[in-house]
Amino acid sequence: MSTILTKRDEFLGAKVIYQIYIRSYSDSDGDGIGDLRGITQRLDYLADLGVDYLWITPFYPSPQKDNGYDVADYCAINPTYGTMEDFDELSREAAKRGLGLMLDMVFNHTSTDHEWFQKALAGDPKYLAYYKFVDAAPDATEDNPGKPPTNWESKFGGNAWEYVPSLNKWYLHLFDVSQADLDWDNPEVRAELANVLRFWRNKGINAFRFDVVNLVSKPAVLEDDHEGDGRRFYSDGPHIHEYLQEIVREGGIDGLLTVGEMSSTKLESCIGYTNPENHELSMAFNFHHLKVDYPDGEKWALMDPDVPQLRNLFVTWQEKMTAGGGWNALFWSNHDQPRPNSRFCDTQNYWFESSTLLPTCTHLMRGTPYIYQGEELGQTITDFESIDQYRDVESINYYRILQERGLSADEAFTIVHARSRDDGRTPMAWDASPHGGFTTGDPWLGLVGNYPTINVETESADPSSPLNYFKRLIALRKAEPIIQRGDVRFLESPSEKVIAYERTLDGERVLVQCNFSGDEQPAMACDGGEILISNYDEAGNGATLRPWEGK
């Protein structure tokens, strides 16, 4: 490793980041929606957990078409979540406990309620140039707008272009129709976004997460995609590295902890994004490992996870990112994913083992681990019984789309129940009181029915709970340089259901083995040594791995 990579590894390898989905974390005022003061009230819990940074999802003014990822003002606080004074108090109190704050920057698009877009709708040429507008045919009308500029599909369903009759133009929205894509080819747009970074940097923020940031550079020539939904044209786009370097430099955040969410990205691109010599980002999220239960790449269909494919993806992204000087964000879960223990394992019969196998597998890898709120408790997917209980725009859209494709209402609901983003957005359970101590009012989204036993208060008192297992995992990473910055190599296992790898540093070796099945599997031989951590209390015979065992 070069000197610069070693310094980076020593810093990032010892950190653990905790994601807070603010709407569902802790409600301080009884309106059923989490808020900034609610987070402040829970800081002691987070400090005791042992994490270093709190990634907080967007709390900016927003019409909430996509739960805050449709930003109407980047430099203000949505009154639903509190005030700027509440934010300043959170920042001060977090710093007292050694916790950094990571803010979510949604820079691919703004809400159509944003002042910039409203000025564009009024015909202001300066702000029309802020967005990806394309002229419609001269004879287009509201009733007959003609063919959209391309056949690209929105990630939330339907065409990715919306016609504006008053302008006789189409605008691009890769997500909801209320989320208009910014035109990063316009240097004024990049300057505006750098100003946003400086605003929060001046308020003491020292970490940033960039939402779907690898989508911001669109191709100069727009063309139909006859092979897919269009993403191959705009993912990791033509000027993405140039633009990232510029905004990091002009925003004054070079050297701070940053992470990019990379949608449908490529390995080579992520090496470039995260190699410190390029001065772009500290680390990157990629989602390939979360698609191993997508039949033929289709999210809205079901299949059992493909464990050999999962292993191969870990091999690629761990070993090749290391070789190229890149850095991975390690995660199973976030606000856009169903609860992973229910999804990849068996929470009906092996709840504890399922809830601890997954973090054992990734927290010991090379990179920076992320914990999504409630993951440390083993929270499971919803037990909702009706589409009316869901709030997520994507889920509601696809419940309709799946039926339009020929599925019955029950078949469509089965898929939505397994895939919905709301599976990971149910409120955090703090205790066994009504609504899990999340709120004294009516929660914006229902809790999972098992919250009386799966909650912070109950698990804090139980040494064998997932919560206390997570604390041990975090402490282990902070205590062991080999886990923080050691090399990584995946091993051939005697079973396709077992993922095994080793970490090495300065002559030391750590062997990690994880059984991704509900049956016993043969274990790899280990020559002596001690067990640093295991999700089974008793030692076992050493020759086999028990169901969902990780050690």
Side-chain angles (χ1 to χ4, degrees), residues 232-252:
R232 65 193 179 97
F233 293 128
Y234 56 74
S235 300
D236 301 322
H239 298 287
I240 183 62
H241 294 288
E242 170 192 341
Y243 291 166
L244 275 178
Q245 290 165 14
E246 177 184 322
I247 200 167
V248 165
R249 180 180 66 252
E250 298 302 318

Side-chain angles (χ1 to χ4, degrees), residues 173 244 510:
H173 62 93
L244 275 178
V510 169

Side-chain angles (χ1 to χ4, degrees), residues 119-170:
K119 288 183 176 180
L121 288 182
D124 187 326
K126 172 182 171 70
Y127 292 98
L128 279 168
Y130 273 34
Y131 294 89
K132 202 68 177 179
F133 277 101
V134 175
D135 289 337
D139 59 351
T141 65
E142 184 172 1
D143 295 331
N144 185 21
K147 183 182 177 183
T150 70
N151 67 348
W152 299 354
E153 295 177 20
S154 161
K155 294 180 183 294
F156 290 169
N159 191 269
W161 296 90
E162 180 72 5
Y163 178 64
V164 182
S166 63
L167 299 171
N168 197 34
K169 295 178 184 291
W170 301 84

Side-chain angles (χ1 to χ4, degrees), residues 515-534:
N515 177 11
F516 279 78
S517 81
D519 301 312
E520 286 192 351
Q521 301 292 342
M524 298 190 67
C526 184
D527 300 327
E530 62 175 316
I531 296 178
L532 296 178
I533 194 164
S534 169

